Amino acid sequence: MKVPKYTYFLIFIAVACLFNKSLHAQLVYVSVKGNDQYPGTKTMPIASFSKAQELVRKSGEKNAKVIFLPGSYYLPETVQFTSKDSKSSVIYMAEKEGSVVISGGKQLQLRWTKSSRGWYTASIPSGNTIDQLYINGVRQRMARFPNAVEGKNVFDTWDLSHSMKADSVRDPLNPLKIAQWKNPVGGYVHAMHTALWGDMHWRILGKNTNGELIEEGGWQNNRPSPKHPGYRMVENVFEELDAPGEWFYDASEGNLYYIPVLGVDINKAKVEIVRLKHLIEFNGSNEAPVSNIELKGFVFKHAARTFMENKEPLLRSDWTVYRGGAVVFNGAVGCKITDCEFDQVGGNAIFINKYNRNISIAGCYIHHVGANGIAFVGDPQSVRSPLFRYGKQDFSSIDRTPGPKSDNYPSDCRVENCLITKIGRA
């Protein structure tokens, strides 16, 4: 049968309309030199992630692209995407890959004074919490004992040896050492598992009448053990502020103490503190998922450490987990992280939590993070007869029904062409 020529013309018009519609999308520009009162054009960009999110939500366009011009964007609070942010396609991206830093920290302008004991002191504005300190982009160490030694791989103090015994000279829990600390509340004790399966952590709550530390923690390993007799370290104790590159923040006074490294003029240095545990969250549900949002070309930095929140045991595992990270997916569908870098975030870099579908992590470089690079963890209640510990089990009562009990777990997700290195070294 011969098709009339006008039929081809109508088909052409229909395809052209669809193609034109796909090209027509909301375009928003963000700049560190912008203003949130501006309309968000390239010549009049806005200044913040939150304002860009607001403009995208209000727009009637089905597609949106938010372009961040080069610079460091310090988030005042965690960005939270919900189903209200979903469209056919939404891309938040760096104008040039790697040129945009999304930071959970804050840059401070401080006035330093030098003490007779060699450290510098600065008053910190109220309302700030400090988990980490960066000077000229380099992370500094909390006041600690024993001090760090260049090139060592266990708590930056020792070389790993399975024959390591107690080290009374460098033992931070030596009663003589503890007696030197006036008020160690808020400090941390870090120790290796006795079988060297990993490290465990305790928060110092005070000292008892016998001069011993009162601690909470040690729950980071699903096969608990006492502290290793030799591999132990304490940090965030004022009296241990004694080496270049170390710092201590006294929250009660609002004072930051720091000993500069050789060659650094602290009065001219760039000072950044780390505040937020999560930089971006996708918060949806099975019924109302966050969908079709992509993060592209960003560098994510400065997320707070979360080692004291590692409490939940994993199924038949040596470890516990914290359900969070620099970027967290909860109830997302068809969302992506593409060509991004995660650099020196204190906990998990990317955490895909419980119900998520078709999440794509591609072309990412993840390094110097405090915990997992990319973690997929479902709900244990979706597992039939979940077993958390090794040992004797009642196998006669195991639920043998095929399939999961619910869909509250990640599925149909993919990770490709990613480089993950130097994990656990934030």
Side-chain angles (χ1 to χ4, degrees), residues 173 178 189 202-206 212-217 227:
L173 303 185
I178 294 175
V189 176
W202 291 260
R203 181 184 288 110
I204 301 174
L205 303 180
E212 301 166 329
L213 293 181
I214 303 171
E215 307 166 342
E216 65 173 1
K227 301 178 181 72

Side-chain angles (χ1 to χ4, degrees), residues 182-214:
K182 180 180 179 181
N183 181 21
V185 175
Y188 299 104
V189 176
H190 309 279
M192 294 296 290
H193 189 284
T194 51
L196 298 178
W197 290 343
D199 52 0
M200 300 177 292
H201 316 276
W202 291 260
R203 181 184 288 110
I204 301 174
L205 303 180
K207 293 195 288 187
N208 62 24
T209 55
N210 295 325
E212 301 166 329
L213 293 181
I214 303 171

Side-chain angles (χ1 to χ4, degrees), residues 201-243:
H201 316 276
W202 291 260
R203 181 184 288 110
I204 301 174
L205 303 180
K207 293 195 288 187
N208 62 24
T209 55
N210 295 325
E212 301 166 329
L213 293 181
I214 303 171
E215 307 166 342
E216 65 173 1
W219 45 59
Q220 294 82 7
N221 198 292
N222 200 26
R223 293 191 182 186
S225 86
K227 301 178 181 72
H228 191 280
Y231 293 137
R232 303 172 175 184
M233 186 266 283
V234 69
E235 66 174 353
N236 206 34
V237 174
F238 179 66
E239 286 81 2
E240 300 307 329
L241 180 67
D242 60 2

